[in-house]
Amino acid sequence: MKKADSETDLGTISSYITTKFRQHDVQDGIFTDELNDIPALCFRDTINNRDYITYLYLDDGSLKELFTASGSSAQANAGTVIASLSDFQIEEKGNGFYYIFLQSTVGNTSEFFLHSSAD
C-alpha cells in the first residue's frame, strides 16, 4: 500500500502544480527564479496594483509554497508545506515549455511538461 499511496501523492502533487500553472497562464505570470538559492517555480499575481509572487520549491525534504510581496526579503523556511518529496526540479525549456520532475520519499518519480500559451 505504501507504493500505491506514494504514486497517488505524486499524482495529487502533479495536479496541484498543473492547476497553479493554468491559473497563472498570462503574460509574465509564470517564471523560474530562486528563493535563498533554492530553485523555484514562480507565479505572479497583481493585486491592487501591487505584484505578489508565489514560490513553489523544495526545502528540507518538503515541497513548499510561499506567497509574498514582490521584492520582499522572503525566507524559504517561511513557506507552507505542500507535500513530502525527496526531489523537485523545474527547468524552463523555452517557447513556453517547463519541465517538472518529482521524486517521492520512497523513490517513485513523475516527470512532465507544462506549456504556457501566454509566451
Side-chain angles (χ1 to χ4, degrees):
M1 283 305 284
K2 190 127 182 117
K3 183 176 180 183
D5 288 345
S6 177
E7 289 171 359
T8 300
D9 289 347
L10 286 179
T12 301
I13 297 164
S14 298
S15 293
Y16 182 81
I17 293 168
T18 301
T19 299
K20 294 291 273 189
F21 193 93
R22 295 289 169 240
Q23 289 171 341
H24 292 87
D25 193 6
V26 296
Q27 189 67 36
D28 298 322
I30 304 165
F31 59 100
T32 57
D33 200 356
E34 291 185 350
L35 179 63
N36 305 129
D37 298 322
I38 300 171
L41 180 59
C42 303
F43 306 103
R44 182 184 329 276
D45 289 291
T46 302
I47 303 168
N48 295 326
N49 296 319
R50 183 155 185 202
D51 282 344
Y52 294 86
I53 307 297
T54 300
Y55 295 89
L56 283 180
Y57 57 96
L58 186 69
D59 182 41
D60 199 27
S62 295
L63 180 66
K64 292 184 177 180
E65 178 178 279
L66 179 64
F67 178 80
T68 187
S70 181
S72 72
S73 58
Q75 298 297 310
N77 62 1
T80 301
V81 173
I82 302 300
S84 294
L85 288 178
S86 61
D87 198 6
F88 170 66
Q89 297 176 32
I90 49 102
E91 186 177 344
E92 196 169 351
K93 292 294 204 176
N95 295 323
F97 284 96
Y98 292 79
Y99 169 76
I100 313 290
F101 175 84
L102 309 169
Q103 184 172 19
S104 71
T105 56
V106 296
N108 294 326
T109 61
S110 176
E111 55 187 327
F112 55 97
F113 284 91
L114 294 172
H115 182 258
S116 172
S117 59
D119 284 340

